[in-house]
Amino acid sequence: MNRRDFISLIASAAAAQHASSLLAQTAKRPLVAVMVGASAATSRRYVSGFAQGMQQLGYVDGRTMDVVYRYAGGDTARMPALAEELIELKPDVVVSGTNAGVLAIKQITSTIPIVCIALTDPVGVGLIESDARPGGQVTGILITVDTLPGKQLELALEVSPGVGRIGMLIGASNPVRAVARRNAETAAAAFGVKLVPVEISAPDDLDAAFRLLADEQVGIVLVLQEAMFLSERRRIAALAAAARVPSLYSFREHVIDGGLMSYGTDLRESFYRSASYVDRILKGAQPGDLPVELPTRLELAINLKTAAALGLTVPPEVVARADEVIE
């Protein structure tokens, strides 16, 4: 072999080794799947918190990791099909925006780690063994605290004093609806008010639900945490306005789109915090060893435009406590 052929052979081997190295790096790039209960359009603001959190931890989508998103559009019945679609991609971690999403994934796999940003009674529904040591494949962030229903009802009664009947919208397919309803009924009994719960199976049920609540002469409507309600928040706000009944929610997104008042967790912050879990899992941590976290804070948002349209005066002391006021 002459010198020129030898040099050419060495260069070809080096190029092949470099190409192989690049291929290996690409193959090793982690894949994270994100399953969201609402639609892409209605969840864009808060889901973007996950991308921000990952970027701040040094991850770049398409370069150091890949992220795929799937949206149920507020329809819990779509969760199993979306879960199957995502698991076929063999992600390293799944981030779920709902308990229903977690349950759908667990029906397919017991090994892929799951981080849920909206856990509700995870021990009671069998998702984890304990908050401190979840065990298994699921961890994440609680979306509520035990005192939340009582505080929401207290706020409702501050805005509408003397109300004896409070309407409540519940997602009929929500796997934790029984827990949410029980907590709200306990709080209502403590305040001496009667709850009028209405279960909603599909968006088309909302019109009839508000007619029923108007017939029941409720003084305010409590809208529970539900992906469908988030997706339909403008419609719900319009129905509440047409019925001239104040509405109280768990997420500020409802208030931005015309609801009267919300008190609950910040979904964007929860998605942002989920990035820390994903980072630790990608670096080798087991989800069962990562404690479930409480919400860091609860936020109060008030839409004074909606209050004025309803002829309602929100007490100044309530406005003063608000984290966000829309005027």
Side-chain angles (χ1 to χ4, degrees):
M1 180 183 293
N2 61 37
R3 184 170 181 272
R4 177 176 296 174
D5 290 339
F6 179 74
I7 292 173
S8 177
L9 180 63
I10 294 297
S12 296
Q17 184 177 5
H18 179 65
S20 177
S21 176
L22 288 177
L23 182 62
Q25 290 177 19
T26 301
K28 291 180 181 178
R29 197 161 69 194
L31 174 65
V32 179
V34 181
M35 186 160 69
V36 184
S39 66
T42 59
S43 63
R44 186 175 295 113
R45 188 201 73 86
Y46 54 85
V47 174
S48 66
F50 174 70
Q52 181 187 7
M54 294 303 292
Q55 288 170 4
Q56 291 188 359
L57 289 168
Y59 295 87
V60 180
D61 187 12
R63 289 177 55 189
T64 61
M65 68 177 296
D66 292 306
V67 185
V68 291
Y69 295 88
R70 295 294 185 272
Y71 300 88
D75 185 359
T76 305
R78 295 183 59 197
M79 293 289 188
L82 292 179
E84 287 187 10
E85 187 177 327
L86 288 174
I87 298 308
E88 285 180 1
L89 300 176
K90 300 186 183 335
D92 295 278
V93 188
V94 177
V95 176
S96 176
T98 64
N99 267 28
V102 176
L103 291 168
I105 295 162
K106 281 177 63 64
Q107 288 292 319
I108 303 170
T109 174
S110 60
T111 57
I112 295 177
I114 305 169
V115 177
C116 182
I117 68 100
L119 289 169
T120 304
D121 191 29
V123 176
V125 297
L127 295 180
I128 64 173
E129 295 174 6
S130 71
D131 290 347
R133 193 172 180 81
Q137 71 189 108
V138 180
T139 188
I141 304 159
L142 294 172
I143 199 172
T144 187
V145 294
D146 292 342
T147 57
L148 181 59
K151 186 59 180 177
Q152 289 175 326
L153 287 175
E154 181 182 340
L155 284 165
L157 294 173
E158 284 188 76
V159 172
S160 299
V163 165
R165 300 168 71 82
I166 294 180
M168 182 170 66
L169 297 186
I170 308 171
S173 59
N174 192 320
V176 294
R177 67 186 183 280
V179 175
R181 180 169 179 166
R182 183 172 64 248
N183 290 342
E185 287 175 343
T186 300
F191 285 106
V193 297
K194 178 178 174 56
L195 281 183
V196 181
V198 182
E199 292 199 354
I200 306 296
S201 298
D204 288 345
D205 297 338
L206 288 167
D207 295 78
F210 272 91
R211 287 196 297 270
L212 173 62
L213 292 173
D215 291 341
E216 291 286 342
Q217 298 182 331
V218 301
I220 194 165
V221 175
L222 176 62
V223 181
L224 298 188
Q225 299 161 340
E226 169 65 41
M228 176 174 55
F229 298 156
L230 266 173
S231 287
E232 297 292 328
R233 57 185 182 264
R234 291 184 179 177
R235 182 178 179 182
I236 292 172
L239 288 169
R244 299 198 60 77
V245 59
S247 50
L248 190 148
Y249 309 85
S250 295
F251 305 123
R252 66 187 289 272
E253 280 73 18
H254 286 280
V255 176
I256 292 172
D257 285 325
L260 174 65
M261 186 164 60
S262 68
Y263 184 70
T265 54
D266 182 345
L267 288 174
R268 192 176 195 282
E269 181 191 26
S270 294
F271 268 102
Y272 174 84
R273 290 169 62 192
S274 71
S276 174
Y277 280 100
V278 172
D279 174 52
R280 284 177 282 175
I281 290 170
L282 292 178
K283 290 176 178 175
Q286 295 299 311
D289 297 330
L290 300 177
V292 168
E293 297 178 0
L294 289 166
T296 54
R297 71 187 184 95
L298 300 175
E299 60 178 8
L300 172 62
I302 301 172
N303 191 322
L304 293 182
K305 289 182 179 179
T306 299
L310 292 170
L312 190 67
T313 300
V314 180
E317 58 271 22
V318 176
V319 176
R321 299 200 304 268
D323 299 280
E324 181 174 3
V325 177
I326 297 174
E327 299 186 85

